[in-house]
Amino acid sequence: MFFDKQKVKHMIETLVKKAQQSTYEEAAAIIQAGGLVAFPTETVYGLGANALDKNAVESIFIAKGRPQDNPLIVHIYDKSQINSIAREVSQQAQALIDAFMPGAITIVLKKSDTIPYCVTAGLDSVGIRMPDKAEAREFLKYCGVPVAAPSANISTKISPTSADFVYRDMKGRIPLIIDGGSCEVGIESTVVDMTADKPVILRPGAITLDMIKDVLDSIESFKGKDVSKLPSPGMKYRHYAPQCETVIADTLDSALSYYDKAVKDGKNPVILCKTQNIALLENRNSINLGCNGTEVCKNIYQSLREGEEGFDLIICENLGQEGVYASVMNRIIKAAGGNFV
Ligand code: TXA
Ligand code: MG
């Protein structure tokens, strides 16, 4: 009988279990034994391993197909853990911690020796995040160790905001997914680098520049273009990429004309837009992103997934740069490979 040994070795049964005490116990046992568990957070689902176990951390990169030079975030359930993970916490960093942790923020600090370099991809800094979602905190508490976790998607794909989305990417690769329902925030945490003289937002998120400005003396968004000098290696990789062509329409008119031309060319397009604009599309295919920043943020990844599954062209409305829309647009621009029509 012919079979691919390599494949057989890697195919494992993936269970999806409701977030409850027995599941946390099982999950913690897997983490402590060096295995991987996907878990819900308020931003997106994470793919967790014991951050202090090099082999376990390496298996995250394998399961995701993630480039080795892209560092992982370390997740905690209690602020007291920060002292053993970071070498120093400046006054400004402490102000951020006090204002936004637990929550949708990752704070990059100088790392201590306890965190292996495979977590930080060789960097002397470490991203620390304390999720706010109760199921995440429970899971992390049961684990009792800092948990390294990227988003639980295959590298380059859209981050998962439900257990079902995790299952589709991670089936056969990991033993357990904790199902904690859908993620309330919907896009990944704001990453703030506090290791340099001036704090910098490396990745925008639901905690916006303006919110951070209220807390820090100075903060700026990363604007560099030279990818070889990027402070956050993740910035140079293709991300959030739907399986089908994806474009951003600068105006509603350009969305409609691009849509109508695509139909003439035999395509099956869909327009992603805010509730307020749905009626203007008449009977064209549409996905409703919601009527405000919070809703659009929560719905964007699921909508991109619906788009790639049901259609062969996604046309997304330009949402502008006001507040959290700037963070959502950051993801959409990457999903569209910067393609505006
Ligand atoms: O909301 C989130 O942050 C989710 C949930 C699961 O917590 N996690 C997440 O992880 O989005 P990931 O690995 O998909 O994205 C982490 C980002 C990457 O762009 C990475 O390059 C950056 O954070 N990063 C991590 N450690 C860093 C460090 N020491 N210095 C600079 N950037 C870092
Ligand atoms: Mg990710």
Side-chain angles (χ1 to χ4, degrees):
M1 190 177 72
F2 172 81
F3 65 91
D4 182 345
K5 266 191 191 156
Q6 209 53 20
K7 251 194 187 145
V8 171
K9 202 173 119 205
H10 285 106
M11 286 304 283
I12 52 171
E13 192 187 1
T14 302
L15 301 175
V16 181
K17 294 195 174 179
K18 207 175 120 218
Q20 56 188 18
Q21 193 186 332
S22 57
T23 306
Y24 299 134
E25 281 166 3
E26 190 179 337
I30 293 171
I31 294 290
Q32 283 152 12
L36 302 182
V37 173
F39 63 100
T41 83
E42 71 276 24
T43 57
V44 300
Y45 274 70
L47 180 61
N50 179 355
L52 309 179
D53 178 339
K54 285 184 202 160
N55 290 330
V57 170
E58 271 165 22
S59 59
I60 291 181
F61 288 88
I62 296 167
K64 268 185 72 97
R66 182 178 176 107
Q68 293 279 344
D69 65 348
N70 194 0
L72 306 173
I73 294 171
V74 174
H75 294 69
I76 57 172
Y77 61 89
D78 194 286
K79 290 182 188 178
S80 66
Q81 292 174 281
I82 296 172
N83 295 324
S84 61
I85 297 169
R87 208 163 52 212
E88 58 184 47
V89 181
S90 66
Q91 253 185 7
Q92 292 280 288
Q94 190 59 48
L96 266 195
I97 291 167
D98 293 342
F100 299 115
M101 274 191 183
I105 196 163
T106 295
I107 302 181
V108 177
L109 299 171
K110 287 186 180 138
K111 85 171 195 68
S112 74
D113 293 337
T114 55
I115 298 297
Y117 278 108
C118 58
V119 171
T120 66
L123 297 175
D124 278 317
S125 60
V126 60
I128 304 177
R129 171 153 140 72
M130 182 176 177
D132 191 29
K133 193 173 172 74
E135 292 85 347
R137 302 268 290 281
E138 276 303 293
F139 160 69
L140 294 167
K141 208 166 170 180
Y142 273 82
C143 289
V145 289
V147 170
S151 48
N153 51 290
I154 298 281
S155 198
T156 80
K157 297 270 167 21
I158 300 164
S159 298
T161 49
S162 72
D164 184 46
F165 290 150
V166 178
Y167 186 76
R168 289 189 221 173
D169 272 16
M170 289 298 151
K171 181 173 181 263
R173 295 170 185 246
I174 62 171
L176 179 63
I177 299 167
I178 303 175
D179 186 352
S182 62
C183 301
E184 296 80 4
V185 172
I187 63 169
E188 303 86 344
S189 62
T190 307
V191 178
V192 188
D193 184 1
M194 297 300 291
T195 62
D197 294 341
K198 264 195 153 193
V200 182
I201 295 181
L202 300 177
R203 179 176 68 185
I207 292 172
T208 61
L209 179 67
D210 284 341
M211 290 161 75
I212 296 173
K213 270 186 184 157
D214 286 343
V215 174
L216 297 184
D217 299 337
S218 96
I219 177 76
E220 55 188 51
S221 295
F222 182 78
K223 290 200 180 64
K225 288 241 155 51
D226 182 352
V227 289
S228 65
K229 296 202 183 78
L230 289 180
S232 189
M235 293 163 108
K236 69 175 182 245
Y237 293 109
R238 186 164 151 80
H239 270 113
Y240 324 113
Q243 303 294 323
C244 65
E245 184 192 350
T246 303
V247 300
I248 301 161
D250 245 335
T251 63
L252 204 64
D253 275 348
S254 62
L256 299 184
S257 55
Y258 201 77
Y259 181 105
D260 293 342
K261 186 177 175 303
V263 170
K264 270 190 201 130
D265 291 345
K267 288 195 184 150
N268 182 26
V270 63
I271 298 178
L272 272 54
C273 67
K274 284 189 264 186
T275 313
Q276 297 87 313
N277 290 330
I278 291 283
L280 305 171
L281 306 181
E282 294 172 342
N283 52 10
R284 294 174 181 87
N285 301 324
S286 65
I287 295 176
N288 185 348
L289 291 174
C291 67
N292 57 46
T294 307
E295 278 187 24
V296 171
C297 199
K298 183 173 194 290
N299 294 332
I300 187 65
Y301 284 156
Q302 176 170 350
S303 302
L304 286 170
R305 285 197 183 240
E306 279 170 25
E308 71 178 357
E309 277 160 23
F311 305 90
D312 53 23
L313 168 64
I314 297 172
I315 304 168
C316 189
E317 176 188 5
N318 188 347
L319 301 163
Q321 293 291 315
E322 190 67 35
V324 77
Y325 285 124
S327 308
V328 179
M329 280 307 289
N330 168 273
R331 311 303 198 272
I332 294 174
I333 289 170
K334 285 183 180 155
N339 226 343
F340 282 80
V341 297

